[in-house]
Amino acid sequence: GCTNTASVTITQPLGLSSAIANSANVTCSAGNNGIAVVNANGGTAPYSYAWTGTSSTTTTAANLTAGTYTATVTDANGCVNSTSITQLVSACTSIQDLIKENVGCQDQMLAAYGGFNKITFSKEGVKVTPLGVNKSILETLCENLVLVYSGKSRLSSDVSQSIVQNINQKEAYLTLMMDQVEKAEKMLKEGNLDDFGRLLGEGWRLKKELSGNMTTPEINELYDTAIQSGALGGKLIGGGSAGFLLFYVPRGHQRSFKDVLGKFIQASFKIDWEGSTLLLHDNVDLPSGKRVIKEKLLCVG
């Protein structure tokens, strides 16, 4: 009738995950100087690595041409996780050189990659890092955003030129704007969306300081009306002085908000996860007997 009891606790490692920690695009057409670095977490070390399209078996894949690469990480227990990155020819400089205008670089990168990323520009190049925000948080964020067309368009180069001319005098404002990136990332990852909405307004206040051409009395009136109608914050998208304004409006206030701003076009949108996509690739016969390839490129950012 004697008994004895022994207990045992079975544990498991954290789930294996991987993410692209760093990358650099190909700098020239037909070049092969792209780089991608994968970071592994969880599982059981040590890890082994394999990349598609290259023979690399380390965390870093170098000498990459333009294309999509997948890194597969395997831990000591045989658990597997994969992540992908698309290497592109850097579009920024070539577009600026082509159109001979003062334009930024972020729009091209956003459209090329798609997704929800932090883009870092430096003398060494461009780094695109997925933020890894929970998709349910991003869905809620999109539900609380309203895109409003001001009714006016303009050449962004004109506003950008005035910013470039005064950039040395505006360093303090640019630094404050850059500091907002880390704050915004933290708010989004933690799901503090109302605070993120207010941060949009703070960003717009700083952006207006960069140039006297950034806004107009009509834009200011539209913005003030939006805030009075339930928006927690917002900003003008793009170069400035015209175009679209993005407002953060909690869903409970959106009906009255949209009624008050009913005379303005309000566009719906969603996050595109694919980036630039080739929709049509067709050969066309010409009377001369020559052939031309017709391509249509859809860029969504």
Side-chain angles (χ1 to χ4, degrees), residues 60-73:
T60 302
N63 302 320
L64 303 179
T65 58
T68 299
Y69 298 85
T70 299
T72 299
V73 180

Side-chain angles (χ1 to χ4, degrees), residues 128-147:
V128 180
T129 308
L131 283 183
V133 178
N134 187 287
K135 285 198 174 183
S136 65
I137 293 177
L138 292 180
E139 289 172 359
T140 303
L141 173 65
C142 288
E143 291 172 357
N144 289 339
L145 293 175
V146 180
L147 193 62

Side-chain angles (χ1 to χ4, degrees), residues 137-274:
I137 293 177
L138 292 180
E139 289 172 359
T140 303
L141 173 65
C142 288
E143 291 172 357
N144 289 339
L145 293 175
V146 180
L147 193 62
V148 179
Y149 180 49
S150 68
K152 294 184 177 181
S153 60
R154 66 354 186 189
L155 289 175
S156 62
S157 179
D158 298 337
V159 180
S160 298
Q161 183 176 9
S162 66
I163 296 175
V164 172
Q165 290 172 342
N166 300 313
I167 198 165
N168 291 331
Q169 289 76 38
K170 304 297 183 178
E171 184 176 348
Y173 295 110
L174 292 168
T175 299
L176 290 172
M177 292 173 69
M178 188 171 65
D179 290 343
Q180 288 186 328
V181 175
E182 186 176 344
K183 294 179 182 178
E185 183 176 356
K186 186 173 186 292
M187 291 173 182
L188 289 169
K189 288 183 176 179
E190 294 178 353
N192 298 326
L193 298 183
D194 286 357
D195 289 341
F196 176 78
R198 297 183 183 95
L199 189 66
L200 288 177
E202 295 178 23
W204 171 233
R205 178 180 61 81
L206 294 172
K207 186 175 180 178
K208 289 190 292 184
E209 298 291 341
L210 299 181
S211 169
N213 299 327
M214 185 62 66
T215 189
T216 66
E218 294 79 10
I219 293 293
N220 291 337
E221 181 181 358
L222 170 56
Y223 187 89
D224 291 342
T225 300
I227 297 299
Q228 293 164 10
S229 302
L232 296 183
K235 63 180 296 185
L236 188 68
I237 301 299
S241 80
F244 286 86
L245 292 94
L246 181 68
F247 292 104
Y248 181 92
V249 188
R251 282 173 291 178
H253 297 282
Q254 287 189 13
R255 176 172 293 182
S256 59
F257 176 92
K258 293 180 178 180
D259 287 343
V260 172
L261 276 75
K263 68 176 183 178
F264 297 98
I265 296 175
Q266 299 172 28
S268 59
F269 66 96
K270 62 181 180 179
I271 296 174
D272 175 77
W273 296 99
E274 294 185 1

Side-chain angles (χ1 to χ4, degrees), residues 4-78:
N4 192 6
T5 302
S7 299
V8 63
T9 300
I10 305 297
T11 63
Q12 64 178 10
L14 295 174
L16 178 63
S17 64
S18 61
I20 300 299
N22 200 354
S23 65
N25 280 323
V26 180
T27 55
C28 298
S29 179
N32 65 338
N33 62 339
I35 299 173
V37 180
V38 67
N39 184 41
N41 287 292
T44 304
Y47 308 112
S48 61
Y49 305 88
W51 292 82
T52 59
T54 174
S55 59
S56 176
T57 56
T58 68
T59 59
T60 302
N63 302 320
L64 303 179
T65 58
T68 299
Y69 298 85
T70 299
T72 299
V73 180
T74 305
D75 74 357
N77 292 329

